[in-house]
Amino acid sequence: MIGIKPPWRSSNPQPEIATLRAPVPPGMPDREKIQVAVDAKNILRTIEVFFAVAESNGIQQPEVSVGKPYLLQQVRSAKRLLALSLRFYPDLADGTFSPTHLENVNRVGPHLHRALRNARIADYSPID
């Protein structure tokens, strides 16, 4: 085993996650879609939270979509989850976001996660 380096002592460390993402072009939001995974029994409350947060941030006509249900295997039981997406659209004719709309869209993510916690709705989606 001489000369073999353990992976954590590699001379080529992996790049930071932030460096793997493509830079956001000017006039575009950090993300155009926010996804969460919630217990199926909380689907209607989550949709209500989505629309309330979007409206409170000045977002008009966001699109909410629901994915196929799937099971999350836990130690003692399984949870039936549904993936929900909240999508935002540009407000300018050239397909970009005005500065005000861009700022509003970029604020939705943190507000959404806070509102879900306040409503006691668990988000089972991976953290990115």
Side-chain angles (χ1 to χ4, degrees), residues 32-111:
E32 292 180 48
K33 181 169 52 171
I34 297 175
Q35 294 181 304
V36 299
V38 298
D39 194 318
K41 67 183 179 188
N42 291 323
I43 194 77
L44 292 177
R45 289 179 44 224
T46 305
I47 291 171
E48 289 172 353
V49 168
F50 270 18
F51 280 111
V53 169
E55 184 179 330
S56 71
N57 282 283
I59 306 294
Q60 297 180 4
Q61 299 178 353
E63 178 183 287
V64 175
S65 59
V66 180
K68 284 177 42 177
Y70 63 96
L71 289 178
L72 172 67
Q73 288 298 123
Q74 295 183 323
V75 176
R76 294 189 177 132
S77 64
K79 283 195 180 292
R80 186 167 171 246
L81 302 180
L82 287 165
L84 277 88
S85 299
L86 179 62
R87 184 174 173 85
F88 312 103
Y89 292 97
D91 60 336
L92 298 178
D94 66 354
T96 61
F97 292 71
S98 67
T100 302
H101 189 54
L102 181 62
E103 186 177 318
N104 292 344
V105 167
N106 285 337
R107 279 196 316 245
V108 168
H111 289 176

